[in-house]
Amino acid sequence: MNFDRIRDKLNILADAAKYDVSCASSGSNRTNSNKGLGNASKMGICHTYTADGRCVSLLKILLTNHCIFDCAYCVTRKSNDVPRAAFKVQEVVDLTINFYRRNYIEGLFLSSGIFKSADHTMERLVAVAKKLREEENFNGYIHLKSIPGASDELMYEAGLYADRLSVNIEVPTISGLKLLAPDKKHEDFTRPMEKVKNEIARYTSERKIIKNTPKYAPAGQSTQMIVGASGESDKDIMCSATYYYKKYHMKRVYYSGYVPVTQDSRLPSIGSEVPMLRENRLYQTDWLLRFYGFSIGEILNKQHPNLDMDVDPKLSWALRNLHYFPVDVNTADKRLLARIPGIGMQSVSKIIKARKFRKLNWDHLKKIGVALNRAQYFMVCESRDWERRDLDADKIKGMILKNSKGKFRNQYSTQLSLFN
């Protein structure tokens, strides 16, 4: 083995893979057996994070950065003048096992540019996972990136060896896809998603009758959308995300702020700021829709097609709907408690349990973990202190921002100065 060449390939293909953020590993319950290597149990695997907060917990590489497509947003587009490389199947297997034995990684995230055809590329990705499972007895986490346009047969085989599969939709809308990736068709993305969804449903059904039914993608499937490349509003992005959650039973939809990598009149220019704050707000909205009982129309609509950058989406909704407040934490139901800014779902559960024994005051709520700097303006409790005064939305917002701290605070310092 030429170690210098392998190192050069690793530098190129690991760097090219960094733009894909959909590499979380939660949800798999594959356990070690027959004295094999690794364990992807429910405890999950160790994560590390880059300076901008992206998860890089796995050996995250491309099989190759050669590609037959010319997607405007992609660093590996065929017209882009970048160093090219390709791993052999056995090289990826050896790297994974050697990195694992040295305790560098706990699993593999493998994607690829599309070379020759979708099926040819997908076949090689599956071959890597199959060798790891059957020849190396590797039980660690494997996430395979499904190739748009791959056949149903290959998608089925991929799910037998991988813990999670994902097809990155990349551009949130069909019109954006036609603009930035005219060689691709929307159905090339959705057909593999439909296949994975159906196979997971079949496995779940058969598992009830036959306990030793082979696992199929136990961590489900995910997808990724690029934020800030094609001009969609936040409403467009979240409507698309909700569609994929409902239609294809996605475990996660990831949002990736567009990093300018090529000069193109259809895209933000090289050197433009990556919309990290917008990405953060989309994740917060995603969380509200999935776990807090909000609907898209409450947070994003024709009057408010984009999220506020200076406050989180739940606070923004509360400021627009002050008629729902104040909420009495000692009597309100779970749904109303969850809509109070500064109260998370864990705190909601603690409040409901604690108030069975006594009425709660501000000290109790602080010990429970409620963020009183925000919550105090939207609720009342068993206390005369800090009760909500007759303040309008702008005054409440100003008082909260004046006393807030966060890693994105400097990005809206201009707004903050209005309240000093």
Side-chain angles (χ1 to χ4, degrees):
M1 181 184 291
N2 187 331
F3 293 103
D4 289 337
R5 180 56 183 153
I6 294 295
R7 184 179 58 198
D8 291 342
K9 288 183 182 181
L10 187 60
N11 287 336
I12 293 171
L13 297 174
D15 183 70
K18 70 185 180 182
Y19 299 101
D20 196 323
V21 301
S22 57
C23 63
S25 59
S26 59
S28 177
N29 57 0
R30 188 187 301 272
T31 54
N32 204 329
S33 60
N34 301 322
K35 297 181 180 180
L37 290 172
N39 192 327
S41 67
K42 291 181 181 179
M43 295 299 291
I45 66 174
C46 298
H47 299 281
T48 57
Y49 296 89
T50 61
D52 61 5
R54 285 183 168 84
C55 174
V56 289
S57 57
L58 313 173
L59 172 59
K60 185 178 176 185
I61 55 175
L62 300 185
L63 185 64
T64 180
N65 64 344
H66 291 279
C67 193
I68 61 175
F69 290 109
D70 201 30
C71 305
Y73 51 80
C74 186
V75 69
T76 62
R77 58 186 291 187
K78 67 180 181 182
S79 62
N80 202 16
D81 185 17
V82 295
R84 305 284 179 173
F87 278 122
K88 297 177 181 177
V89 169
Q90 191 60 46
E91 288 175 341
V92 178
V93 172
D94 292 341
L95 275 174
T96 304
I97 296 302
N98 285 312
F99 274 45
Y100 177 82
R101 284 175 172 157
R102 286 164 175 77
N103 202 30
Y104 293 158
I105 61 164
E106 289 289 341
L108 172 67
F109 176 93
L110 184 61
S111 184
S112 181
I114 302 174
F115 58 106
K116 291 189 177 180
S117 68
D119 278 352
H120 180 81
T121 307
M122 194 69 216
E123 187 176 14
R124 292 175 67 82
L125 293 175
V126 172
V128 171
K130 188 174 182 179
K131 275 180 170 287
L132 283 168
R133 297 296 191 209
E134 295 187 348
E135 296 181 14
E136 301 293 342
N137 201 14
F138 181 71
N139 293 296
Y141 183 84
I142 298 178
H143 182 151
L144 289 185
K145 185 63 61 175
S146 306
I147 302 301
S151 67
D152 288 350
E153 292 78 10
L154 283 170
M155 291 305 303
Y156 173 72
E157 192 175 10
L160 295 177
Y161 299 109
D163 294 282
R164 175 169 286 184
L165 298 170
S166 60
V167 183
N168 282 358
I169 198 69
E170 301 291 7
V171 185
T173 62
I174 296 176
S175 59
L177 183 68
K178 289 180 179 178
L179 175 67
L180 299 180
D183 296 335
K184 291 183 177 179
K185 298 179 181 178
H186 186 256
E187 53 267 29
D188 290 339
F189 296 91
T190 56
R191 194 181 72 185
M193 292 178 181
E194 184 72 22
K195 176 65 175 177
V196 173
K197 183 194 77 170
N198 292 339
E199 290 298 337
I200 291 174
R202 188 176 76 166
Y203 162 74
T204 303
S205 177
E206 292 180 356
R207 173 78 172 169
K208 295 176 182 177
I209 303 171
I210 306 172
K211 296 299 181 184
N212 61 348
T213 301
K215 292 180 179 179
Y216 186 89
Q221 63 175 326
S222 61
T223 191
Q224 172 179 291
M225 298 181 185
I226 296 174
V227 177
S230 47
E232 289 87 0
S233 67
D234 293 334
K235 179 176 176 289
D236 294 331
I237 293 171
M238 293 313 306
C239 284
S240 293
T242 301
Y243 171 79
Y244 289 110
Y245 275 124
K246 292 181 178 179
K247 176 70 174 177
Y248 302 108
H249 302 168
M250 291 289 163
K251 285 288 186 178
R252 288 291 305 273
V253 174
Y254 292 86
Y255 311 95
S256 177
Y258 176 66
V259 180
V261 293
T262 186
Q263 196 66 46
D264 192 296
S265 60
R266 296 166 290 177
L267 295 165
S269 60
I270 293 178
S272 299
E273 187 175 355
V274 179
M276 294 300 298
L277 177 54
R278 186 183 180 194
E279 176 187 312
N280 179 258
R281 294 291 183 237
L282 289 169
Y283 276 117
Q284 291 172 330
T285 304
D286 183 286
W287 212 253
L288 293 180
L289 297 177
R290 292 166 62 208
F291 300 112
Y292 285 73
F294 282 86
S295 65
I296 291 181
E298 291 179 291
I299 301 173
L300 294 163
N301 46 53
K302 289 183 178 180
Q303 291 73 36
H304 300 91
N306 292 301
L307 297 166
D308 290 333
M309 292 297 103
D310 51 353
V311 295
D312 67 81
K314 184 157 77 163
L315 177 55
S316 178
W317 172 85
L319 292 171
R320 299 198 306 264
N321 295 274
L322 288 178
H323 55 280
Y324 285 110
F325 304 101
V327 171
D328 188 339
V329 295
N330 287 302
T331 59
D333 61 19
K334 182 177 181 179
R335 178 179 175 275
L336 274 178
L337 288 174
R339 292 183 171 230
I340 300 174
I343 297 185
M345 293 309 297
Q346 288 187 353
S347 295
V348 168
S349 297
K350 291 178 181 179
I351 288 171
I352 292 174
K353 291 177 182 178
R355 72 188 188 186
K356 292 178 181 179
F357 302 97
R358 64 159 299 162
K359 288 187 177 294
L360 305 178
N361 59 33
W362 296 110
D363 289 334
H364 299 140
L365 294 171
K366 187 175 181 180
K367 290 177 181 178
I368 283 173
V370 174
L372 294 179
N373 64 316
R374 280 171 286 163
Q376 62 176 306
Y377 302 104
F378 302 95
M379 66 183 186
V380 292
C381 60
E382 188 68 8
S383 175
R384 291 184 178 275
D385 298 329
W386 292 2
E387 287 188 359
R388 179 174 175 266
R389 290 159 285 176
D390 188 20
L391 299 171
D392 60 27
D394 288 337
K395 289 181 180 178
I396 294 173
K397 181 178 179 179
M399 294 175 72
I400 292 174
L401 288 177
K402 187 175 182 180
N403 298 310
S404 67
K405 294 180 180 180
K407 63 180 179 180
F408 296 115
R409 189 173 186 271
N410 63 326
Q411 295 191 26
Y412 48 85
S413 57
T414 302
Q415 291 96 320
L416 288 176
S417 66
L418 297 176
F419 305 106
N420 290 337

